[in-house]
Amino acid sequence: MEGEKESIKVASDKYRKFLHEEQAAAAAAGSIQWRHGDPPIYDAVNNLFEQGRTKVWAEGSLEETVQNAIKSWEMELSHKTRVKDFRTINPEKFKLFVNGREGLSAEETLKVGSYNALLKSSMPEEFKYYKADEESFESSHDAFRSAFPRGFAWEVINVYTGPPVVTFKFRHWGFFEGPFKGHAPTRDMVQFYGLGIMKVDESLRAEDVEIYYDPAELFAGLLKGPPISEPNIQQQEHSNDNTTTQCPYQN
């Protein structure tokens, strides 16, 4: 959920370096299909990240490498429309497993989007905080972009093992400043922690990614806001129309 549209010439992004190297040239030539037409801009969420992160990793460290790799993968998942344009994964082998559920292939993950992939639940319908099966890629991103107009930042807290199997702890946070599913914003920080296990190939492309976290940590903050009427929801969403487009899962 991130990146306002601008011309092909974009400012460098130190967390997603390759986005503005050969990829910018490829985008200019029309060889990469971007969901919103152009490469994304991450200025707003980078700002949020830099103001709120709890760790500053040394340049070139394993922690920084893992953090930037995940940010780059999220960028591709949110903003590219074809798996063949991805550089962060091995598309033939890639599988995403969330909280022990059945794995999703690269194409399946791209089709549903990162929010739906991460928030799908096997709970009974009446107990679901969020019904991923009823959301599209676009509607899921719209819902979280509305709730977090400044973006949803992501950082690595610890890296426990290095390649080829990388295990890490992460933190995800944002400020609930827009409506979410009929709930008024509280303007409080919403955050959750999780664990990841990522198997990579010799080129550091992800093959298997396992994510473990408690969705209740996220929804406890988002459902705390009081219910609001439909006209007020539309008015608040309209007020966010000119804000920077942010990514869903991140970062």
Side-chain angles (χ1 to χ4, degrees):
M1 21 163 151
E2 328 184 19
E4 65 187 28
K5 292 190 203 176
E6 291 189 2
S7 62
I8 294 297
K9 185 178 180 181
V10 292
S12 62
D13 188 313
K14 59 187 174 182
Y15 307 115
R16 304 162 189 85
K17 185 178 179 183
F18 71 79
L19 170 62
H20 302 293
E21 293 178 346
E22 70 270 18
Q23 291 221 42
S31 59
I32 292 177
Q33 289 187 5
W34 296 101
R35 190 170 297 276
H36 303 291
D38 294 333
I41 302 295
Y42 280 81
D43 291 352
V45 77
N46 284 349
N47 225 11
L48 179 67
F49 167 73
E50 288 163 4
Q51 292 173 357
R53 62 183 169 180
T54 61
K55 304 284 187 176
V56 179
W57 301 114
E59 185 174 355
S61 64
L62 176 60
E63 292 84 357
E64 186 204 46
T65 300
V66 171
Q67 184 167 264
N68 291 354
I70 299 293
K71 287 179 181 290
S72 296
W73 171 63
E74 182 281 329
M75 175 276 296
E76 292 192 307
L77 180 58
S78 296
H79 293 283
K80 292 182 176 180
T81 62
R82 303 182 303 189
V83 168
K84 71 176 186 178
D85 292 334
F86 282 36
R87 294 186 61 220
T88 56
I89 68 170
N90 183 328
E92 289 78 28
K93 294 185 177 181
F94 181 84
K95 285 282 187 179
L96 173 64
F97 302 86
V98 180
N99 288 339
R101 295 196 307 270
E102 183 179 355
L104 295 175
S105 68
E107 291 287 358
E108 289 169 330
T109 305
L110 179 60
K111 180 179 179 180
V112 300
S114 54
Y115 277 125
N116 290 332
L118 291 162
L119 294 172
K120 186 176 176 63
S121 171
S122 57
M123 294 175 65
E125 289 296 310
E126 62 268 28
F127 298 121
K128 287 183 179 179
Y129 310 113
Y130 174 90
K131 298 182 179 181
D133 293 338
E134 298 179 7
E135 302 285 347
S136 66
F137 183 109
E138 292 76 15
S139 69
S140 63
H141 282 234
D142 287 346
F144 284 90
R145 185 171 61 243
S146 169
F148 299 117
R150 282 192 278 163
F152 201 18
W154 190 93
E155 70 171 332
V156 161
I157 298 297
N158 276 307
V159 176
Y160 304 110
T161 61
V165 179
V166 181
T167 57
F168 57 93
K169 181 178 181 179
F170 66 87
R171 170 180 172 247
H172 221 331
W173 78 98
F175 288 89
F176 183 21
E177 297 171 324
F180 179 79
K181 298 292 184 183
H183 290 267
T186 62
R187 306 202 175 276
D188 294 338
M189 184 173 70
V190 174
Q191 68 177 346
F192 66 90
Y193 292 82
L195 295 173
I197 304 171
M198 180 169 62
K199 181 181 178 182
V200 299
D201 64 15
E202 62 279 359
S203 300
L204 298 182
R205 297 181 304 168
E207 296 184 343
D208 282 355
V209 178
E210 297 179 47
I211 300 293
Y212 299 92
Y213 76 106
D214 182 0
E217 284 189 289
L218 168 63
F219 289 109
L222 290 174
L223 302 181
K224 186 167 64 174
I228 51 179
S229 66
E230 188 65 26
N232 285 338
I233 295 174
Q234 294 174 351
Q235 183 179 8
Q236 291 194 52
E237 288 177 342
H238 179 72
S239 70
N240 289 332
D241 283 349
N242 294 323
T243 61
T244 301
T245 303
Q246 302 299 330
C247 122
Y249 176 49
Q250 174 148 35
N251 212 256

